[in-house]
Amino acid sequence: MDVEGAAVQPRKKNSWGWQKGTLLLAYQSFGVVYGDLCISPVYVYKNTFSGKLRLHEEDEEILGVLSLVFWSLTLVPLLKYIILVLGADDNGEGGTFALYSLMCRRSRMGLLNSLHAGHGSVSSYNQDEPCKETRSSLAIRGFFEKHHSLRVVLLLFVLMGTSMVIGDGVLTPTMSVLSAVSGLRIKFPELHENYTVLLACVVLVGLFALQHYGTRRVGFLFAPILLSWLACIGGIGIYNIFRWNPTVVRALSPYYIYNFFRKAGRDGWSSLGGIVLCITGAEAMFADLGHFSKLSLRLGFTIVVYPCLVLAYMGEAAYLSKHREDLQSSFYKALPDRVFWPVLFIATLATAVGSQAIISATFSIISQCRALGCFPRIKVVHTSSHVHGQIYIPEVNWTLMSLCLAVTIGFRDTEMIGNAYGLAVILVMFATTCLMFLVITTVWNRSVLWAALFAAGFGSMELLYLSACLAKVPHGGWLPLLLSLATLLVMSAWHYGTAKKQEYELQNKVCLDHFIGLSSGMGLVRVPGVGFVYSDSVAGVPPMFAHFVTNFPAFHRVLVFVSLQTLTVPKVPQEERFLVGRIGRPEHRMFRCVVRYGYKEGRWDHFNFEDQLLVKVLEFLQLQQADGDGERCSTGSGEMSVIPAAPSQAVVDALASMSSGEIEYYAGGGAKKVRFEELPAAWRREETMSEVRELLEEREAGVSYMIGHTCVFAHESSSAVKKFAVNVVYGFLRRNSRRPAVVLGIPHTSLIEVGMVYRV
């Protein structure tokens, strides 16, 4: 089948095509990555001077704020993210989970690295160049590996950062849209606040209603819109600098930061909660790395975005130095009358661009969490057959819209929303700084001094911003904490319940020899057809199937145990996706197939999935007959050997000449069909003919799918906290999430569900 997210062929770096592709990616990144960062000039000065700092309206305070904004933009988005953090990608993917997956693979510091067997043969795990481990890296790694509680805290810390990004998905559209439409009150002062709130709600509803069309269609005009917006604010900034106060250029000196705090004192510290809004969206540049390349993001930001933002803030400061009475509406008041309405129109469109960036990032992050077992099962729609990252999640989309409308109607004031927004942003950045310390020491194996310098330099600045934002918790800052807490509760409870369920299945799996002996003593009946048994087990017989056989002693003549595993790599190469092995002796006709995905990949559609699995089983038989060719991987139980079932040339040649038949097989992006009589000669040898013929005949007799319908409850002797987490929270989420059979796309008429109760 054609899997979304297929690997992109590497380009030759010295060719014009590679340069053209990089420039094209840089152009496309304007419509996805920088929207949130570029819309900030609309509300930064307004929120900064909304508190007690409005009492300080001298040039020193205005230039001090400009100096703080300039150095914040230089140190955080430019130096930290563009230059340093982008280098910590996970095979081209960025974000909080990318940093965590790096640590999971390199050591046992993570809790997501030991659930799946057989991943050592995936080449994506071994792409990093070997680097000599330092004493400090071994010490830090050993410290985490010895203490399970620290690994739990690390996972919760990652989930906290992730939940804050999801909280941004609520605050960014609200803050951006409401700030843009509030510009109407500059020209119409008598316009009631209710009308601007109503207009903001209409824009938000329209924005979320368009999401089901996909990022590719919705974002077709986003890059030109944002480039037009950057040209506007950059050009107007230059105009304001030369017209009102060219001397604002001196504010680029850090001396004005010292002078600002010397004169403003505690009020200046409190204003940091507004200044931090100038770096909102910096985290999105790292989170959206998977859609582009590091070079394209670096080119777009350093050549276009950064200079335009600096000019915009300088121009606004130049205007304020001569019009101190306009502190609460400086952005729109600084616009020349001739361009006011065009800029207001473009600003409203640009807010949609900024909102689209965080909405798409929220979809992507939740999809990653779901794939790694940290979020309930939800419907993920892939809106592009070419770009695996372009997805749409209906439940999340409408939940975000409802929360955005509630915040817009409930808060109304951009000052309170800004307080909440700033806290969410700075917490995510601080989480990235802490994770980067671990990546530098344990993944890059660099000196702990360099890691400490990184953490101390950026961490101290972020903690200073964080302290100012925490002071505003009673004035709206509580909202991101509440949203993050609720999301963290959902994610941690689901992960804990899923881990306990898998732990129970691992401990209660049935030994193969015991199962075969039990089967022979029960007088089992083998009914015609092929049975696919879905479970998380990659070794032994899952307890669900043993429970079924105990109560109903019959199963299909051909049995394939299927396990869909998500590994801590972004993508699994196509040729390494399937692992196939035999269970028991050949006459048992039982096989196991492990299908592996990366956390950024979409699962295969179930259309003709059983044909694909059967072809892989046939290829396994061919490889096994050819004196064991292929890489063997142990499942860890010693009961079977697993062989990667990459398509052989004989299979491809045979399938290429077929136009109709019994088995449909996907190769090279197209569907091919093959009949038994036209199978490769290697399959029609005496040793394998009977098995191949039987497989095809049983497939023709019918296919059934068996899946467990489990209810997980905490043991009677468990603590009250565990009972609440498993019985109440996890139970509620399990009952209200999508059923496994629906997620897998299994036909209801061919489904067998086996009910079981797990006491964990």
Side-chain angles (χ1 to χ4, degrees), residues 441-458:
T441 54
T442 62
V443 178
W444 292 352
N445 293 318
R446 304 302 181 190
S447 171
V448 71
L449 294 178
W450 288 109
L453 183 62
F454 177 91
F458 294 109

Side-chain angles (χ1 to χ4, degrees), residues 506-638:
L506 183 63
Q507 294 174 351
N508 292 273
K509 68 180 180 181
V510 180
C511 177
L512 179 62
D513 295 334
H514 176 71
F515 174 76
I516 294 176
L518 180 67
S519 303
S520 59
M522 295 175 58
L524 282 174
V525 177
R526 303 295 292 268
V527 299
V530 178
F532 291 99
V533 182
Y534 286 85
S535 73
D536 292 326
S537 301
V538 295
V541 178
M544 168 267 299
F545 184 73
H547 176 70
F548 172 81
V549 172
T550 303
N551 291 273
F552 189 78
F555 56 86
H556 297 83
R557 291 174 183 167
V558 176
L559 208 59
V560 181
F561 292 92
V562 183
S563 178
L564 306 179
Q565 304 290 352
T566 301
L567 309 181
T568 52
V569 288
K571 306 182 188 80
V572 174
Q574 283 281 67
E575 63 273 10
E576 302 177 34
R577 188 174 302 281
F578 285 89
L579 300 178
V580 181
R582 186 194 297 277
I583 299 179
R585 295 189 298 274
E587 58 267 22
H588 292 153
R589 299 293 189 265
M590 293 192 295
F591 305 91
R592 186 186 307 282
C593 183
V594 179
V595 189
R596 306 181 295 184
Y597 301 91
Y599 61 81
K600 289 284 287 185
E601 292 183 293
R603 294 275 175 92
W604 289 34
D605 295 329
H606 200 272
F607 180 70
N608 286 326
F609 187 41
E610 68 275 7
D611 283 350
Q612 187 76 358
L613 290 175
L614 286 177
V615 167
K616 294 300 180 182
V617 172
L618 295 178
E619 290 176 353
F620 162 75
L621 294 176
Q622 179 198 11
L623 292 173
Q624 190 180 54
Q625 190 62 38
D627 64 15
D629 290 340
E631 180 187 0
R632 292 183 175 270
C633 303
S634 173
T635 61
S637 63

Side-chain angles (χ1 to χ4, degrees), residues 75-77 80-81 85 272 276 279 283 422 425-434 454-469:
L75 293 177
V76 178
K80 177 185 174 181
Y81 281 96
V85 176
L272 292 177
V276 74
I279 55 177
E283 185 72 25
V425 168
I426 202 63
L427 281 173
V428 174
M429 292 182 178
F430 183 69
T432 300
T433 300
C434 296
F454 177 91
F458 294 109
S460 59
M461 182 175 62
E462 289 161 358
L463 285 176
L464 183 62
Y465 280 125
L466 180 60
S467 63
C469 292

Side-chain angles (χ1 to χ4, degrees), residues 212-226:
H212 71 280
Y213 289 108
T215 305
R216 187 178 182 183
R217 296 177 181 175
V218 176
F220 180 75
L221 294 176
F222 278 9
I225 289 172
L226 199 70

